[in-house]
Amino acid sequence: MVKYYYDKYEAIPTHVYTYSYSWSQDYLASVTSIQGMSGFDFNTNTGEFTLQPPARTVIVFNDKGPVYTYIEGKLLKYYIPSYSDQTIYYNIANVTQTLVRTDYSRGALVQSNIVAEDGTYPVNGRHSDGYWYIKGGVVNTAPTMPGAFTQPSGNLEIGDSKVFAVGSSSDAEGNLSKYIWEASINGGAYSKVGETTVNNLTYTIPTATSLKMRVKAVDSAGLESAYRESSLYTVQPPQYYFDKYNVVSTPTYGYSVQWSPQSGTLYTSASGYTSYSLDGSGKIVLGGSYLTIEQFRTYGTIYGEVGGSLLRHTVGQHDNIIYETWGSVQKTQTGTTYSRGSLVQTGLTGGATAYPTNGRHTDGYWYVRGSRVSQSIAPPSAFTSPSVGKKFKPNEAATITFGASNAANLSLYEVDYRYNTTGAWTPLPYNNTLTRSLTITTDKTLKTLELRVRAKNTSNVYSDYVYSESFEIEHNVAPTVSLTGPGDNSTLYENDTLTIGGTAYDADPDQAVTVYYQINAEPRKVLTTNLSKVQIDLSKQLTFKAGKIYDGETVLTESLAAGIEHKLKVWAIDSENATSVVVERTFFVVPNRAPLLSLDAIVPSGVVDVDKFKISGTASDEDANSTVKVTRKINSGDPVEIYSGQGGAWEFDLSLAQLIVGENTIIIEVIDNYGAKTSKTIKLKKNEVKTPILHAVARYKITPPAGTAKGVLLFIERDEDMDLKVELSMTLAGEQEQYETLTADNTAPMPNTNGIVEDTYYHEATEPKDNIILKLSTTRPDAAVNPKIHLISGAIE
């Protein structure tokens, strides 16, 4: 309230009375006459009597009265009660004083310039405290403390403009000027953030985690109220709506060329392109200039493509050889890319960085950031119909269903659809139900359907749109594939077959269907091709050998590792590129393993000095359907088979005569029917025993220049004392040899020699022969005799 200055005075009282009178009882006057006035007047304000003429006299037997007179300041009334009474009586008038009020007036000054609110003391008069006051001029006072804070609407988010309001301040003198606003951020000191003439402030929320406000009022004279403080507000980053999706993982591949060893060719020239590159699918792209290189004349490197392989020819500046190298394209996974999949959940809320704006999060899901929560309402939940992966047929009735928004005061849901993902959005009925229906187009140019929905409240505030996946419209129905073989999780051993069996079918008329198969990431192969509307039988027999899969003699794969699963994939594609579901079968491989070989202890061992002994052991193979063959090889001799079968014990006899003097190497080798080998080596030492040879036989094959001969003429120069036997076999090729002993036609000493003679022999067959063998045998009596043959010569006819 307004305050004023007051002066304080003494109060002088003035009493105000009223008067009344009453007559006393009768008294005997004891006189016979009394003179007095006939009447009187009474003043009630002063209590005084005034006698009124005329004068009269009360006389016994004459005037009965009454008359009035003063005696000793008192009014007396004399009278005779009745005419028969001869006695004069009197009454005395008794005055009664009654205090009506006390009036006051200002006295001496007691105190000046007392400050008090209007009405505390009289404007000019006596107060209840007994003093007289006079109100002077107005006293200026500070405004009152502003009222309580009103919590801003919604959450306090960094960067938002929020209105902070308090109850109004009042000023007794009506000269309120402004409000001063201050803020404390994160518990820090207060600092001024604004001045207003009204009791609210629009303030941009700073980057903080907590905020506290205070405000005071100020009047035009500069007087200030006390501060009003707010409660402690929690501040958070701006909140957004997020949609959560599954993640689609796609491997990425790189391609390189693996070159085979270089080989020289005798081409006189070769033609090709001067450069090559590999496109994103690993396809060879030839480029540069088309060039012909020639021996001695031109040089350089050119490239060509043959059957999907790269062919490189190179010739040096002075080379007469054109070098040839084959290159195969190698596919290697270089990484993985991720993209957005099907919708999982809508309406998640979080700060701007709680999830990616549009990308894959560390939790393995894909997120898309939508509108600010403070600027929109919660979106509807995801579409539940059509189901994920739904494929529509032309003219099919589609039921569209989605989940409700949890926003308050909802008005309706706006549902739209479009074809081909780039078309214009077309509205379906806008209402507050959660279901719509749509008849699918029959236009073959429209191949996909996409849906979206958003919510709107009664204040016309919208949510973000929630989108469906893109649904395929199957104007062309994809073919189907069914496999009867191979079984899943089968295991292939060496030479086992992987048989693909089953059927394929395409319901669309007038189309061609190609069925493919693929092993792991190898290039796909055509299984069969046929027309639609018929059942297509599938049949292909593949073979596992040498660690790879073969189609006949064609290699389909690189070497397959044991112990990990491998994939066979079969699918069909029609002539409009509709693709069936890929049917997979898992299989494992066990490449051919080397057979096992063991040796028994050899007796004797080390140095061999017996005529004959045995070497033995066992052979086996872990692979199914395998047989093994065991051979032995002595020193540089040829291998000799000593066992053949599915596995078991083996042995062979070794004679001393089969060994050489000194160290001998005996190799035992086992080989299975798929070519895998295992060997063991035995080292034996033979002592030298010098035993002379007393009998010797030599054979000589005679080859006629004309192919056949009928007669043979021989000349043999020998020591005269040699015991020599000469035999000759003349048969046809393939016939058994038949020897005849020849007798010398003549023996004569050789000139100029000492003890050397020459024997002459001649033999003639009944018909020409082509297999002619000469056998010479000699015997000596002891080691001291050592005759020799010096020369064998002759002629045939």
Side-chain angles (χ1 to χ4, degrees):
M1 293 183 65
V2 179
K3 293 185 178 181
Y4 291 84
Y5 291 110
Y6 289 85
D7 292 337
K8 181 179 180 182
Y9 296 87
E10 294 284 351
I12 300 173
T14 301
H15 303 297
V16 178
Y17 298 94
T18 59
Y19 296 90
S20 62
Y21 67 93
S22 62
W23 297 105
S24 65
Q25 61 184 1
D26 293 338
Y27 295 100
L28 181 62
S30 300
V31 291
T32 57
S33 66
I34 188 77
Q35 186 177 9
M37 294 295 181
S38 297
F40 66 92
D41 184 38
F42 182 72
N43 188 337
T44 59
N45 292 325
T46 63
E48 295 179 349
F49 292 94
T50 303
L51 296 176
Q52 299 293 331
R56 338 180 13 190
T57 301
V58 175
I59 302 172
V60 176
F61 303 120
N62 185 9
D63 188 356
K64 301 294 184 183
V67 296
Y68 301 94
T69 184
Y70 278 112
I71 297 177
E72 295 179 359
K74 291 187 176 292
L75 178 67
L76 276 73
K77 178 177 72 173
Y78 291 93
Y79 64 95
I80 296 174
S82 65
Y83 288 105
S84 60
D85 192 349
Q86 298 301 309
T87 302
I88 298 173
Y89 291 89
Y90 68 92
N91 298 128
I92 299 172
N94 296 312
V95 177
T96 300
Q97 181 184 57
T98 302
L99 180 64
V100 176
R101 69 178 185 276
T102 302
D103 292 333
Y104 294 90
S105 61
R106 187 179 67 189
L109 180 64
V110 175
Q111 184 180 354
S112 61
N113 294 328
I114 297 173
V115 176
E117 294 179 353
D118 188 19
T120 302
Y121 303 108
V123 174
N124 186 9
R126 180 176 176 272
H127 187 47
S128 59
D129 63 1
Y131 291 93
W132 190 276
Y133 291 86
I134 294 178
K135 185 172 75 174
V138 175
V139 177
N140 186 39
T141 58
T144 62
M145 178 192 296
F149 271 85
T150 301
Q151 171 72 31
S153 60
N155 294 323
L156 269 61
E157 296 181 1
I158 296 169
D160 279 355
S161 291
K162 289 291 185 179
V163 175
F164 291 85
V166 292
S168 297
S169 172
S170 61
D171 188 86
E173 297 76 45
N175 62 343
L176 181 65
S177 173
K178 60 186 176 181
Y179 294 87
I180 296 178
W181 302 81
E182 296 179 355
S184 169
I185 299 171
N186 295 338
Y190 281 99
S191 61
K192 182 177 177 181
V193 293
E195 290 186 7
T196 62
T197 58
V198 293
N199 59 332
N200 59 78
L201 169 72
T202 300
Y203 178 54
T204 300
I205 304 302
T207 300
T209 57
S210 66
L211 174 70
K212 194 170 187 180
M213 303 290 290
R214 72 179 184 181
V215 60
K216 63 182 177 181
V218 182
D219 67 13
S220 57
L223 294 183
E224 299 178 347
S225 71
Y227 280 105
R228 171 70 70 179
E229 289 191 351
S230 72
S231 59
L232 184 66
Y233 302 115
T234 298
V235 178
Q236 63 184 11
Q239 300 295 292
Y240 292 83
Y241 288 113
F242 289 86
D243 292 336
K244 179 181 180 181
Y245 296 83
N246 285 314
V247 170
V248 177
S249 302
T250 304
T252 56
Y253 296 94
Y255 299 89
S256 61
V257 175
Q258 184 70 38
W259 293 100
S260 65
Q262 179 174 272
S263 62
T265 65
L266 295 178
Y267 301 144
T268 59
S269 66
S271 298
Y273 292 87
T274 56
S275 65
Y276 75 92
S277 61
L278 302 176
D279 67 10
S281 63
K283 181 180 178 182
I284 297 170
V285 180
L286 298 173
S289 304
Y290 190 78
L291 179 66
T292 299
I293 57 176
E294 301 180 21
Q295 298 172 349
F296 298 112
R297 299 183 58 187
T298 58
Y299 62 93
T301 300
I302 59 171
Y303 302 92
E305 182 184 2
V306 178
S309 295
L310 195 61
L311 180 59
R312 179 176 68 191
H313 288 108
T314 303
V315 64
Q317 188 169 7
H318 302 293
D319 286 343
N320 66 340
I321 295 177
I322 297 178
Y323 294 96
E324 181 177 274
T325 311
W326 288 89
S328 60
V329 177
Q330 304 295 312
K331 180 181 179 181
T332 305
Q333 183 172 344
T334 57
T336 304
T337 60
Y338 301 96
S339 59
R340 186 179 71 186
S342 58
L343 182 65
V344 174
Q345 185 179 357
T346 64
L348 292 171
T349 60
T353 59
Y355 305 102
T357 302
N358 184 12
R360 180 172 174 264
H361 189 41
T362 54
D363 64 2
Y365 290 95
W366 191 280
Y367 292 84
V368 175
R369 191 176 79 188
S371 299
R372 286 276 302 276
V373 172
S374 61
Q375 297 170 355
S376 63
I377 61 175
S381 296
F383 286 93
T384 56
S385 177
S387 58
V388 175
K390 167 70 175 176
K391 294 183 179 181
F392 288 103
K393 302 292 189 297
N395 212 37
E396 180 179 352
T399 298
I400 300 165
T401 308
F402 51 90
S405 167
N406 60 13
N409 303 318
L410 280 176
S411 171
L412 52 80
Y413 297 100
E414 297 184 354
V415 185
D416 304 320
Y417 73 93
R418 68 177 178 183
Y419 291 113
N420 285 359
T421 69
T422 57
W425 289 98
T426 302
L428 290 169
Y430 287 2
N431 54 51
N432 60 2
T433 67
L434 304 177
T435 302
R436 306 288 188 277
S437 61
L438 173 67
T439 300
I440 303 301
T441 181
T442 57
D443 185 348
K444 287 190 174 183
T445 64
L446 304 178
K447 299 182 182 299
T448 60
L449 170 69
E450 190 176 2
L451 305 167
R452 71 178 184 182
V453 60
R454 67 177 178 177
K456 183 175 77 170
N457 67 13
T458 53
S459 299
N460 293 324
V461 178
Y462 287 91
S463 74
D464 287 333
Y465 277 110
V466 173
Y467 291 86
S468 73
E469 65 173 299
S470 182
F471 299 102
E472 181 181 351
I473 302 173
E474 288 187 313
H475 298 289
N476 173 41
V477 178
T480 60
V481 170
S482 176
L483 290 186
T484 57
D488 209 13
N489 295 320
S490 58
T491 300
L492 301 180
Y493 295 89
E494 190 74 14
N495 262 19
D496 278 353
T497 57
L498 185 70
T499 302
I500 303 173
T503 58
Y505 184 77
D506 192 329
D508 296 313
D510 305 321
Q511 292 195 20
V513 181
T514 301
V515 183
Y516 295 93
Y517 71 97
Q518 181 185 37
I519 297 174
N520 294 337
E522 302 290 348
R524 70 181 186 179
K525 300 293 182 182
V526 174
L527 185 59
T528 188
T529 300
N530 211 325
L531 298 177
S532 61
K533 300 293 286 186
V534 298
Q535 181 171 291
I536 305 169
D537 292 327
L538 307 179
S539 179
K540 171 67 70 172
Q541 191 172 76
L542 308 176
T543 305
F544 175 65
K545 58 184 179 180
K548 301 178 181 179
I549 300 292
Y550 285 78
D551 178 11
E553 297 302 318
T554 302
V555 180
L556 299 182
T557 69
E558 297 294 331
S559 293
L560 302 181
I564 64 172
E565 67 176 25
H566 301 280
K567 293 285 189 181
L568 168 69
K569 303 174 185 177
V570 180
W571 70 96
I573 301 177
D574 66 21
S575 50
E576 291 191 6
N577 289 323
T579 303
S580 74
V581 174
V582 177
V583 181
E584 292 188 355
R585 292 289 186 268
T586 298
F587 66 93
F588 299 84
V589 299
V590 180
N592 184 40
R593 292 164 287 186
L596 304 176
L597 179 66
S598 66
L599 288 176
D600 298 333
I602 299 174
V603 180
S605 61
V607 177
V608 179
D609 55 5
V610 297
D611 287 341
K612 184 184 292 186
F613 55 92
K614 292 184 181 295
I615 296 179
S616 62
T618 58
S620 62
D621 197 310
E622 297 178 280
D623 297 313
N625 304 321
S626 63
T627 59
V628 297
K629 180 175 70 174
V630 183
T631 62
R632 57 92 171 153
K633 178 183 177 183
I634 302 173
N635 294 327
S636 60
D638 294 329
V640 176
E641 182 177 314
I642 57 176
Y643 175 84
S644 180
Q646 292 185 336
W650 54 265
E651 67 176 21
F652 67 95
D653 290 331
L654 184 65
S655 65
L656 193 60
Q658 293 172 282
L659 303 179
I660 63 173
V661 175
E663 186 174 75
N664 291 264
T665 299
I666 303 171
I667 299 175
I668 312 298
E669 183 177 74
V670 58
I671 180 170
D672 67 14
N673 53 322
Y674 305 123
K677 300 177 181 180
T678 301
S679 65
K680 291 185 179 295
T681 300
I682 303 170
K683 298 287 188 179
L684 295 175
K685 187 175 182 181
K686 177 181 177 181
N687 287 334
E688 182 177 9
V689 179
K690 296 183 178 180
T691 302
I693 298 174
L694 302 178
H695 179 74
V697 178
R699 288 178 173 85
Y700 301 94
K701 182 176 178 63
I702 301 172
T703 302
T708 60
K710 187 176 182 182
V712 177
L713 176 63
L714 291 172
F715 301 99
I716 299 176
E717 296 180 11
R718 61 176 176 82
D719 289 338
E720 185 176 4
D721 57 355
M722 173 178 274
D723 182 7
L724 179 64
K725 181 181 179 180
V726 178
E727 296 175 276
L728 185 67
S729 172
M730 295 184 68
T731 60
L732 294 175
E735 293 180 344
Q736 186 174 358
E737 297 174 3
Q738 296 179 3
Y739 288 95
E740 294 185 26
T741 302
L742 302 183
T743 303
D745 294 332
N746 182 50
T747 299
M750 294 296 295
N752 302 321
T753 62
N754 182 20
I756 298 177
V757 297
E758 180 182 68
D759 295 326
T760 301
Y761 299 91
Y762 179 77
H763 178 79
E764 184 176 347
T766 59
E767 59 184 5
K769 304 293 183 178
D770 58 2
N771 186 29
I772 303 171
I773 305 296
L774 174 65
K775 181 166 73 172
L776 303 178
S777 304
T778 182
T779 302
R780 58 180 179 166
D782 54 53
V785 179
N786 192 22
K788 297 180 181 178
I789 294 175
H790 295 276
L791 179 64
I792 301 173
S793 62
I796 58 176
E797 62 177 356

